[in-house]
Amino acid sequence: MGYSRSSGASLSMKTKNKQRRKQLYVTQKKESGKARHEERHRRRREEAKNPELRAERLEKNQPASIDKKRVWDDVDDDKLGAVVDLAQLKRRRLEQEAAAAEADGVVEDEEEKDSDADSMLDSDEEEENEEDDEEKMEKIRQKRSQRQPSIAPSTTSTNMDLTPDSLSRQFKYLFSDETPPVPKILVTTSLNAHIHQEAQEIAAVFPNSTYIRRSAHRFSHKYSIREIAKFAKNRGYTALVVVHEDQKRPHHMSICHLNGEDAPPGPTLTYTIRHYLPGKSLLGHGNPTNHYPELLLNGFKTPLGLLTAKSFNTLFPPQPELSGRQVVTVHNQRDYLFFRRHRYVFREAKGNEKNVVGADGKELAGVQGIRAGLQEIGPRMTLKLRRVDKGIGRAGSEGNDALQWEWKAKMEKQRTRFNL
């Protein structure tokens, strides 16, 4: 019995006999699946003859995710709190400077033609020396800003060279040009805490860290965070990490940078902790070693994002120990920071495994036949930045700019606008 698909769909809904409805529905399902199967094979044969058709189809069929719909503030501002892509802002400023320099060059050429050539003979050598110095400095800046190309470049890694001058001036001790000292971190908890085991596991993530219980005995002195920070700074610690709890689970984490001897402490970044899982609760977890891990900071694009990335960057030594094959990843996606710690190993790809492809769908050159195996060490948690204070937390910050940035509920009314 022949019928069209649309009429069959209507018959399967309108037919009163239940058995007949079931039979019509099964028949319609088979025909639709057969049509999709034939269409898929026809498209595969055509794309095998003409690979450009497949590239056009993949380029057209990009999923419209929220990340791709992300909106930015249309302002020429790189201060803390501005939602601007610093890479695009720098590119736009360079184009404007090039256009302005080209226009100024035309004006200067016209003025030079009208001026007397003899008056310029005395200053030629000085100008050449100044130009040579400027060229040397410009080459040095370009060399510093350039990053070594990788065989498998990441499309989400954070470029700290995009740090704007306004952010460097606001947090001059954190974004110092001097060689950062070896991090030494003091980890403690809130008063009357029960999460000593979780706090010790968080402290084990940061190299050169020490966990000290915060006593709350009735005969003991209950030290405040400012007193603990002063104690830690006098003993050479570079950062103070305070883990707060809620219902006997880690709930908040504050990272206070103590800076050098002559520098005032700050800033303090406060995060909320969600979905905390200790390492022993992870399936097939590994055991950590004392090697300095590598650090991956992904997806930080705004001034606030670079401040967050720099804060994590100062907590780990700049020279990782590659023999340990450990990596700590802080991946920002929609203002949620996914904190993971893995151990990796490179192995040969199996026969049924495909080669690694990039974001464009093409195989990466130089890594054919190689795959990376990962084993999660833990702990696993999700962080969200809530507040940035100038000094040691909210109580230890003074002045009109004591609160540098704070998350508010109205910031998430527009789902496509993110702060980091």
Side-chain angles (χ1 to χ4, degrees), residues 168-184:
S168 300
R169 290 192 300 268
Q170 189 174 1
F171 304 98
K172 58 182 178 180
Y173 299 107
L174 189 62
F175 292 93
S176 177
D177 295 334
E178 299 178 358
T179 304
V182 178
K184 185 180 179 183

Side-chain angles (χ1 to χ4, degrees), residues 172-174 233 257-267 390-392:
K172 58 182 178 180
Y173 299 107
L174 189 62
K233 187 172 182 178
H257 297 275
L258 303 177
N259 304 323
E261 297 180 358
D262 301 331
K390 180 181 178 181
I392 307 173

Side-chain angles (χ1 to χ4, degrees), residues 205-326:
V205 174
F206 305 109
N208 301 328
S209 62
T210 305
Y211 172 67
I212 298 180
R213 294 195 175 198
R214 195 173 174 191
S215 176
H217 192 270
R218 62 175 181 172
F219 297 115
S220 64
H221 181 76
K222 299 179 181 179
Y223 292 98
S224 65
I225 297 298
R226 283 176 287 182
E227 291 174 328
I228 296 174
K230 184 177 180 181
F231 165 87
K233 187 172 182 178
N234 292 336
R235 282 154 183 80
Y237 288 94
T238 59
L240 172 65
V241 178
V242 183
V243 183
H244 304 270
E245 68 171 321
D246 183 37
Q247 296 181 356
K248 297 184 180 182
R249 291 182 61 85
H251 186 260
H252 275 74
M253 183 173 67
S254 298
I255 300 176
C256 177
H257 297 275
L258 303 177
N259 304 323
E261 297 180 358
D262 301 331
T268 300
L269 288 84
T270 303
Y271 305 88
T272 53
I273 300 177
R274 298 184 179 183
H275 311 300
Y276 179 85
L277 277 177
K280 64 180 182 181
S281 300
L282 300 173
L283 183 63
H285 70 90
N287 296 321
T289 59
N290 294 328
H291 296 88
Y292 291 167
E294 302 174 55
L295 180 63
L296 295 181
L297 301 171
N298 294 336
F300 299 96
K301 298 181 178 180
T302 64
L304 182 63
L306 284 183
L307 174 64
T308 307
K310 184 65 175 179
S311 173
F312 280 106
N313 192 21
T314 56
L315 300 179
F316 293 87
Q319 297 295 334
E321 297 176 353
L322 301 180
S323 59
R325 295 182 286 106
Q326 293 186 97

Side-chain angles (χ1 to χ4, degrees), residues 104-120:
D104 294 341
V106 174
V107 175
E108 289 178 358
D109 291 341
E110 294 178 354
E111 292 178 353
E112 287 176 0
K113 291 179 182 179
D114 297 335
S115 63
D116 189 8
D118 295 336
S119 62
M120 300 176 62

Side-chain angles (χ1 to χ4, degrees), residues 408-417:
K408 296 181 181 178
K410 65 179 182 180
M411 293 181 177
E412 294 188 354
K413 285 186 177 180
Q414 189 176 1
R415 295 185 61 197
T416 55
R417 188 176 186 273

Side-chain angles (χ1 to χ4, degrees), residues 130-200:
E130 291 178 358
E131 290 178 358
D132 293 341
D133 294 340
E134 291 179 357
E135 290 179 359
K136 290 180 181 178
M137 292 301 296
E138 185 64 25
K139 289 181 180 179
I140 293 173
R141 293 193 197 99
Q142 292 179 358
K143 188 175 181 180
R144 288 177 179 174
S145 62
Q146 288 177 355
R147 306 178 68 190
Q148 295 296 330
S150 173
I151 297 177
S154 174
T155 58
T156 57
S157 60
T158 301
N159 188 1
M160 299 302 298
D161 298 325
L162 297 174
T163 304
D165 295 336
S166 59
L167 196 64
S168 300
R169 290 192 300 268
Q170 189 174 1
F171 304 98
K172 58 182 178 180
Y173 299 107
L174 189 62
F175 292 93
S176 177
D177 295 334
E178 299 178 358
T179 304
V182 178
K184 185 180 179 183
I185 303 168
L186 178 65
V187 182
T188 186
T189 59
S190 56
L191 289 171
N192 303 316
H194 302 82
I195 55 170
H196 301 292
Q197 187 173 357
E198 290 83 353
Q200 285 179 347

Side-chain angles (χ1 to χ4, degrees), residues 116-132:
D116 189 8
D118 295 336
S119 62
M120 300 176 62
L121 295 176
D122 298 335
S123 59
D124 284 345
E125 296 181 358
E126 297 179 358
E127 290 181 355
E128 289 179 359
N129 294 333
E130 291 178 358
E131 290 178 358
D132 293 341

